[in-house]
Amino acid sequence: MTFNTGTGTTPLLARQSKGIYNFLIIPLIFIIVFLAIWFLLKFIKKRHETREWIEAQKKRTTNKKDIKEVAQKYSLTHAESELLWEICKKGKTPNICYLIHDSDAIDDLFRSHYSRMKKEHEPEKKITDLFRLRYKMELEEASAAVITTTTTLAEGTRFTYMIPNGMQILCTLKKNSSDNMIVSIPQQLYDSDSKPPPLSKAVFSFTTHTGMYYIFSTRIIRYSTGLDNQPEMVLSQTNDLRPQTKRQSKRMAMDIPCLFSAVREDDTLKKNNFVPLEKQHECVLLNISADGCCITTPLPIKEHQYICVSIPLGDETHQIIGRIVSTRRNLVNNLFFLHINFLQIDAKTQNRIFASIYGYKPGDEETLSS
């Protein structure tokens, strides 16, 4: 018998060597693929951060994928996202994902679509949906930039001074500096012996132009008379700002005379259908939204009663039935603040209020009488 003493390998050793090579090669392939993908993603990310790529994305027309991204970000319903797609498609809107952060551009976009809807005689209900969508997106955008300090408040901001005894005083931020805030106050409060003393705690509320509602606590430094001989209150700056529950629709502050009357229930019609009485009373409209308003009156009307407010819209006056949800007394001038929730209001009147609040010109829609 002869033996092979050469350097060759047996078939068994060859198979074992091949298994070892496979064991080493397969992980190596995975590592190479992983590195290739990593470098590719890094390249894409870097490319997407270039000014040229961003500018190109901003300019391209909005597509369905962009609408889906915005809908997820702003928690839009299917109906709302479809309406937004219609707005962008008809307006040939640049990439809505970027445009959404430009408040002026969004205003122009919705104003143009509103005008288009009016010309095409779209149903009032659909126009209401347009305004609801506008406000929802506005609120979500504002929520991303919550105000955390009173030092950033714009001069001219309207405040409501809420005194613990139930008084609510309207005032205006006159001057805002890093040291303090100077607020104009009514002469009646300045002359009142019951006004809160200096160094006492004070609570105020205000609404931003986007509709976000805030309450903040601060301290009164002193009372004074300004260079214009008007009474003032000097307040300390504070970081104690608390955003409150979002309103369903945007609200606008104002100060115009109007009328209101009591109502009676019409038994000939369905339940909770009210008609106004002939006798009317004078009041002042302090703010309004498409869902409610606030008026002041010297009459001590209790909460939970139904009321009809006659609101001037352009050349017409519209009677709106509502329910008084809260009543607050101003002890300085003995006026009562009536906060009213609208119950009977037609869609056309509601949309006129919306349009006026968003500042549409008379050519687009009639505005509230000044």
Side-chain angles (χ1 to χ4, degrees), residues 48-90:
H48 287 184
E49 291 174 349
T50 62
R51 179 178 297 179
E52 293 78 8
W53 189 89
I54 293 174
E55 289 302 319
Q57 289 299 304
K58 286 182 179 181
K59 293 177 181 179
R60 71 167 175 78
T61 305
T62 297
N63 57 37
K64 265 284 191 178
K65 184 179 178 182
D66 301 325
I67 297 296
K68 185 177 180 180
E69 181 178 333
V70 171
Q72 290 177 342
K73 179 179 179 181
Y74 293 95
S75 302
L76 302 184
T77 65
H78 176 72
E80 289 170 338
S81 61
E82 286 298 312
L83 177 57
L84 182 60
W85 172 235
E86 178 185 326
I87 294 170
C88 294
K89 185 167 59 174
K90 288 190 175 181

Side-chain angles (χ1 to χ4, degrees), residues 119-158:
K119 291 177 182 178
E120 296 174 0
H121 303 289
E122 293 276 7
E124 293 291 341
K125 172 61 172 62
K126 191 172 182 181
I127 296 177
T128 301
D129 292 340
L130 175 80
F131 285 115
R132 298 285 188 201
L133 173 62
R134 174 73 184 93
Y135 184 57
K136 184 174 183 178
M137 294 174 64
E138 191 174 39
L139 275 186
E140 291 296 334
E141 188 67 20
S143 299
V146 175
I147 300 174
T148 58
T149 174
T150 52
T151 58
T152 61
L153 298 181
E155 295 177 0
T157 300
R158 299 271 307 263

Side-chain angles (χ1 to χ4, degrees), residues 82-322:
E82 286 298 312
L83 177 57
L84 182 60
W85 172 235
E86 178 185 326
I87 294 170
C88 294
K89 185 167 59 174
K90 288 190 175 181
K92 298 180 180 179
T93 308
N95 194 338
I96 190 67
C97 296
Y98 291 91
L99 194 74
I100 201 75
H101 304 298
D102 187 338
S103 58
D104 291 337
I106 291 296
D107 280 334
D108 291 340
L109 175 63
F110 275 78
R111 179 181 284 107
S112 297
H113 195 74
Y114 169 78
S115 299
R116 189 180 299 114
M117 294 175 79
K118 295 294 288 185
K119 291 177 182 178
E120 296 174 0
H121 303 289
E122 293 276 7
E124 293 291 341
K125 172 61 172 62
K126 191 172 182 181
I127 296 177
T128 301
D129 292 340
L130 175 80
F131 285 115
R132 298 285 188 201
L133 173 62
R134 174 73 184 93
Y135 184 57
K136 184 174 183 178
M137 294 174 64
E138 191 174 39
L139 275 186
E140 291 296 334
E141 188 67 20
S143 299
V146 175
I147 300 174
T148 58
T149 174
T150 52
T151 58
T152 61
L153 298 181
E155 295 177 0
T157 300
R158 299 271 307 263
F159 289 163
T160 298
Y161 179 24
M162 300 182 291
I163 303 177
N165 59 16
M167 284 194 298
Q168 291 190 356
I169 308 296
L170 299 178
C171 48
T172 304
L173 180 57
K174 196 173 181 179
K175 185 177 180 180
N176 197 4
S177 67
S178 58
D179 298 325
N180 54 54
M181 293 179 285
I182 298 178
V183 176
S184 63
I185 59 174
Q187 188 68 47
Q188 298 98 316
L189 177 63
Y190 185 79
D191 296 335
S192 174
D193 294 332
S194 62
K195 67 177 179 289
L199 302 183
S200 62
K201 190 175 181 179
V203 179
F204 293 81
S205 68
F206 68 93
T207 302
T208 66
H209 73 281
T210 58
M212 289 293 289
Y213 179 67
Y214 286 84
I215 290 178
F216 69 89
S217 299
T218 185
R219 291 194 178 276
I220 301 170
I221 299 175
R222 64 180 182 274
Y223 296 93
S224 61
T225 301
L227 297 176
D228 55 0
N229 292 322
Q230 297 300 313
E232 300 173 341
M233 179 191 293
V234 182
L235 306 174
S236 60
Q237 297 286 6
T238 180
N239 297 330
D240 184 20
L241 282 87
R242 302 179 297 278
Q244 303 300 298
T245 303
K246 298 174 183 178
R247 300 180 186 272
Q248 188 178 2
S249 57
K250 192 171 183 175
R251 188 169 294 263
M252 178 174 64
M254 52 182 43
D255 186 12
I256 62 173
C258 63
L259 299 171
F260 74 91
S261 63
V263 300
R264 63 175 175 83
E265 191 168 358
D266 191 342
D267 296 331
T268 63
L269 300 174
K270 61 182 180 180
K271 188 178 180 181
N272 292 334
N273 193 83
F274 301 93
V275 293
L277 301 182
E278 290 185 7
K279 185 177 180 180
Q280 292 186 311
H281 309 275
E282 294 182 352
C283 64
V284 175
L285 183 65
L286 294 181
N287 62 56
I288 191 171
S289 75
D291 299 302
C293 69
C294 177
I295 64 173
T296 58
T297 173
L299 300 179
I301 303 176
K302 295 181 180 180
E303 298 176 351
H304 311 308
Q305 297 190 66
Y306 296 95
I307 191 173
C308 175
V309 185
S310 299
I311 297 177
L313 293 170
D315 296 330
E316 300 179 9
T317 298
H318 293 258
Q319 293 185 324
I320 305 173
I321 306 294

